[in-house]
Amino acid sequence: LGSCWHVWYTPCVFLKKNMDPIRRIIFLLLAFYRINSALSYCVIGCSCSSDSFGRSLLCMSTSLRKIPGDIPQDIRKIRIENSHLTELPRGSFSNASALEYLWLNFNNITVMHLKSLEYLKDLTELRLQGNKLSSVPWTTFQDTPALKILDLKHNRLDVLPEHALRYLPNLTYLDLSSNQLTVISRDVFYNWPVYQKTQQSEKKMEASSNAVLALHDNPWICDCRLRGLVQFIKSVSPPVILMNSYLSCSSPKFRAGKFFHEVELNSCMKPITSSLDSNLTVHVGLNVTMVCLVQGSPSPAVWWTYGLKHLRAFNVSTTHISEDTMKSELVIPSAHLMDEGNYTCTAANFIGNTSTIISLKVQAPRMVASSSSFSSSVSEENAYVDVRIAKQTVYGITLEWYAVTENPGETWYTLHFGKYDDSEKEMIYIGPGTNTYSVNDLLPATKYEVCVTIRNQTPRKGQCIVFVTGSDISELEQREKLIHIIIIVCAMVLAVPAGMYACTTETRLNCMEKCAGFCHKNRKGQKNLRAEFQKWKRIIFDLSLLNTFFYPVLFGVFICITAFGDTEH
């Protein structure tokens, strides 16, 4: 009892003065038991062990979702693997300040707080393999100056800032393999104190400890942005050692699979655009191709813009001519007058952007006054065009037409479209071989007229369709089911059976006049009137069978005539 611990000084003095020897021994045994129990405490669901190194905490395949808050203070090694950890919050290991080894492999860690390693000044090994980290707060390693081993392989790291390794002065092993790194500046390693020490040691001819670096199995983009890293990898030599020196490119395609030591990368440059011809002239209905040549490194993004609102779906293709040169082509099939204007080709990369303007002029075709062309134009004037609405959507219609001409492969058409009351309609030129056109963005409760003519002829009767769109938004669904476009004037049909009439503006008015005349006939002629009604019923019924498109409208007329014929009024 004469050698009591200083922490137990007061109890020891009490024992010397007030207890007999037996009671003193029992009391000390109880005290040592309590001290040993405190030292042997472990986290529930985990196991603890002790060896010559010290105490270790092992939590394997547990249901842990966060770092335990009751980690014993004497723990020097923690291993939590295959659990459900998702983050490392601030001060995660503040109770374990004696910690030297921390293994957190194969969890689901996605977030690492800036102060998650606070108070771990003795930490020498940190392993975070197989997690889901897309970034690491590299300044957090200011709290771990003794760190020598950092394992971050099989994560999702895609960026490595230039200051990343600045706070790892004693690091001897860094594993960044199997991540999503694409581009790294060589300054990342030039700012690494370990690399700087090796360079100084080489100059002084002094020996220094090795530093192992793993960068393989990343999707490296081998363009000008990686030029510095490629040069660094080629020049690396002991004491800096690459775990796998055969780093390979993943893109661009013409370099995919090549090793770093096989490629020579150029310096980065701002894009330069040019065109083969900045002024183009084309006739209506012909195809036109605009070509834009682009030079830049890395390969810039290229796009075309056109000032008018009526932008149609043009075809754009971009191909590589060489490492730093590409060609972008914009193809306008069957040019219209509305396609005339300035087209801008723009190229941009992280250095800057530039553009080139190509001017397009579209000319209407000229009518040649020759005998052959005259006979052809005469025949085309008498040609019939069968036009109909082939498809209806919520926002527009699709027209379809057929014409009988001498040279259908060389015949182009003019589509006149606009509001019914507009004196001037929009003219859209359609090249040979096309017999459909879609009209979109129609206004509700609006009366439209669309006509299709051969070449630039003036629309004639039978070549136009007049329709009215729905009156409100709630009817949009009905437009899908029941056409929702009321046909007022139908197209001229090519073949009309005897006794049948095409539904045109003129015949519709005649129909109304005849019906009005019938209503004023003398009641004595009711038998003749009923006979006339039966005749009209047959005409309307036959018309409804001729084209199912007109069935809803014609069937309604059929019902009206039937009902009208069965009354005495």
Side-chain angles (χ1 to χ4, degrees):
L1 294 175
S3 60
C4 290
W5 293 346
H6 69 279
V7 293
W8 297 98
Y9 175 75
T10 301
C12 288
V13 173
F14 175 80
L15 289 174
K16 290 179 180 179
K17 294 182 178 180
N18 300 291
M19 286 191 178
D20 56 58
I22 298 177
R23 291 182 179 180
R24 293 172 189 170
I25 294 173
I26 295 173
F27 183 85
L28 289 175
L29 290 175
L30 291 174
F32 281 116
Y33 175 77
R34 291 183 63 182
I35 294 173
N36 187 59
S37 298
L39 292 174
S40 62
Y41 170 77
C42 192
V43 177
I44 297 175
C46 302
S47 61
C48 295
S49 61
S50 298
D51 51 26
S52 59
F53 171 76
R55 295 194 70 207
S56 300
L57 173 66
L58 182 62
C59 304
M60 302 292 290
S61 302
T62 63
S63 58
L64 285 177
R65 295 187 178 275
K66 62 180 181 179
I67 301 297
D70 54 349
I71 298 176
Q73 296 182 359
D74 62 333
I75 292 294
R76 297 181 63 188
K77 181 177 181 179
I78 293 178
R79 187 176 180 183
I80 303 175
E81 297 182 356
N82 295 302
S83 296
H84 301 284
L85 301 179
T86 57
E87 64 174 331
L88 297 180
R90 177 170 188 156
S92 298
F93 307 95
S94 57
N95 293 335
S97 57
L99 193 62
E100 296 183 26
Y101 298 86
L102 178 58
W103 291 16
L104 300 173
N105 299 323
F106 307 110
N107 291 289
N108 293 312
I109 300 174
T110 57
V111 178
M112 187 176 176
H113 192 273
L114 183 64
K115 289 293 183 179
S116 58
L117 303 179
E118 196 174 17
Y119 308 118
L120 301 182
K121 59 183 180 59
D122 295 326
L123 187 67
T124 59
E125 185 173 327
L126 175 61
R127 295 185 181 273
L128 291 165
Q129 176 186 353
N131 283 281
K132 299 178 180 179
L133 289 168
S134 58
S135 64
V136 171
W138 295 96
T139 54
T140 193
F141 298 115
Q142 294 180 89
D143 296 323
T144 59
L147 193 63
K148 294 183 177 181
I149 296 176
L150 179 58
D151 186 356
L152 292 169
K153 63 175 171 284
H154 288 290
N155 275 275
R156 300 176 181 177
L157 301 178
D158 55 2
V159 175
L160 201 62
E162 292 185 3
H163 68 274
L165 308 182
R166 186 176 300 170
Y167 306 107
L168 296 165
N170 296 307
L171 203 64
T172 59
Y173 178 90
L174 175 62
D175 195 340
L176 296 170
S177 62
S178 301
N179 277 276
Q180 298 299 317
L181 298 172
T182 56
V183 175
I184 293 181
S185 170
R186 62 183 175 185
D187 292 336
V188 173
F189 303 102
Y190 285 172
N191 294 330
W192 188 15
V194 174
Y195 180 77
Q196 294 174 352
K197 289 178 183 178
T198 60
Q199 296 300 304
Q200 294 174 1
S201 299
E202 287 182 1
K203 292 180 180 179
K204 297 179 181 180
M205 302 298 290
E206 296 177 354
S208 60
S209 58
N210 293 334
V212 178
L213 180 62
L215 295 171
H216 55 278
D217 294 333
N218 279 287
W220 301 111
I221 299 177
C222 293
D223 58 24
C224 66
R225 293 169 294 179
L226 205 65
R227 184 168 181 257
L229 178 65
V230 171
Q231 292 177 345
F232 171 78
I233 296 300
K234 290 180 179 180
S235 64
V236 161
S237 60
V240 177
I241 302 172
L242 286 175
M243 182 180 293
N244 185 345
S245 59
Y246 290 94
L247 304 184
S248 60
C249 305
S250 293
S251 61
K253 289 183 178 180
F254 59 88
R255 287 202 181 101
K258 291 186 177 180
F259 297 115
F260 279 18
H261 61 269
E262 295 177 332
V263 298
E264 292 293 336
L265 302 179
N266 298 327
S267 300
C268 294
M269 61 178 290
K270 180 181 176 180
I272 300 174
T273 58
S274 61
S275 61
L276 298 177
D277 191 350
S278 58
N279 294 285
L280 297 176
T281 302
V282 66
H283 289 287
V284 168
L286 299 180
N287 295 348
V288 59
T289 301
M290 304 181 197
V291 179
C292 178
L293 297 178
V294 180
Q295 287 182 305
S297 183
S299 296
V302 182
W303 65 90
W304 292 81
T305 54
Y306 178 48
L308 294 181
K309 295 181 180 179
H310 299 286
L311 184 62
R312 298 189 293 129
F314 303 134
N315 297 322
V316 176
S317 61
T318 302
T319 56
H320 278 272
I321 299 176
S322 64
E323 179 180 342
D324 299 327
T325 306
M326 61 177 62
K327 179 176 67 174
S328 180
E329 293 183 339
L330 183 146
V331 179
I332 303 177
S334 183
H336 300 167
L337 289 178
M338 62 183 293
D339 296 328
E340 186 173 290
N342 293 329
Y343 292 79
T344 303
C345 170
T346 304
N349 59 19
F350 76 98
I351 299 179
N353 65 80
T354 186
S355 60
T356 295
I357 297 177
I358 299 178
S359 179
L360 175 65
K361 185 176 181 181
V362 181
Q363 294 181 343
R366 298 178 180 179
M367 300 299 294
V368 181
S370 62
S371 58
S372 60
S373 62
F374 178 77
S375 61
S376 175
S377 62
V378 171
S379 62
E380 287 178 351
E381 286 182 0
N382 297 325
Y384 287 103
V385 178
D386 177 24
V387 58
R388 67 187 183 93
I389 297 179
K391 181 181 179 182
Q392 300 79 32
T393 65
V394 175
Y395 303 103
I397 63 172
T398 298
L399 297 171
E400 186 177 36
W401 61 88
Y402 298 95
V404 178
T405 61
E406 293 182 355
N407 299 309
E410 300 178 0
T411 302
W412 56 272
Y413 305 90
T414 302
L415 191 147
H416 307 258
F417 176 77
K419 294 182 180 179
Y420 181 77
D421 297 328
D422 291 348
S423 57
E424 294 185 2
K425 301 290 192 299
E426 178 184 355
M427 298 175 65
I428 302 172
Y429 294 92
I430 310 296
T434 304
N435 68 331
T436 61
Y437 190 84
S438 296
V439 180
N440 298 314
D441 299 326
L442 300 177
L443 298 174
T446 304
K447 187 177 181 181
Y448 289 97
E449 182 179 33
V450 58
C451 305
V452 178
T453 64
I454 295 178
R455 297 188 183 274
N456 55 354
Q457 296 177 2
T458 303
R460 295 183 288 105
K461 293 181 180 179
Q463 295 178 337
C464 301
I465 291 179
V466 178
F467 59 90
V468 179
T469 57
S471 61
D472 53 46
I473 301 300
S474 62
E475 297 179 358
L476 291 179
E477 293 184 357
Q478 297 180 12
R479 291 179 65 181
E480 289 289 324
K481 298 178 181 178
L482 183 60
I483 298 174
H484 199 120
I485 294 177
I486 304 171
I487 302 299
I488 297 178
V489 181
C490 310
M492 177 70 72
V493 294
L494 292 178
V496 181
M500 299 183 69
Y501 297 88
C503 179
T504 64
T505 304
E506 182 178 357
T507 57
R508 183 192 62 171
L509 295 176
N510 292 339
C511 172
M512 297 301 295
E513 292 175 359
K514 288 184 180 181
C515 289
F518 287 142
C519 293
H520 291 84
K521 280 189 177 182
N522 194 305
R523 292 183 62 182
K524 294 182 180 180
Q526 288 182 359
K527 292 184 179 179
N528 295 333
L529 180 61
R530 288 195 177 92
E532 291 293 333
F533 279 131
Q534 294 298 327
K535 174 183 176 182
W536 278 98
K537 283 166 61 177
R538 287 194 300 271
I539 292 174
I540 298 301
F541 182 76
D542 291 338
L543 281 173
S544 66
L545 294 179
L546 180 63
N547 194 335
T548 57
F549 171 75
F550 300 120
Y551 178 78
V553 177
L554 297 177
F555 186 75
V557 177
F558 177 81
I559 296 300
C560 292
I561 292 179
T562 302
F564 189 74
D566 291 339
T567 63
E568 296 181 356
H569 301 286

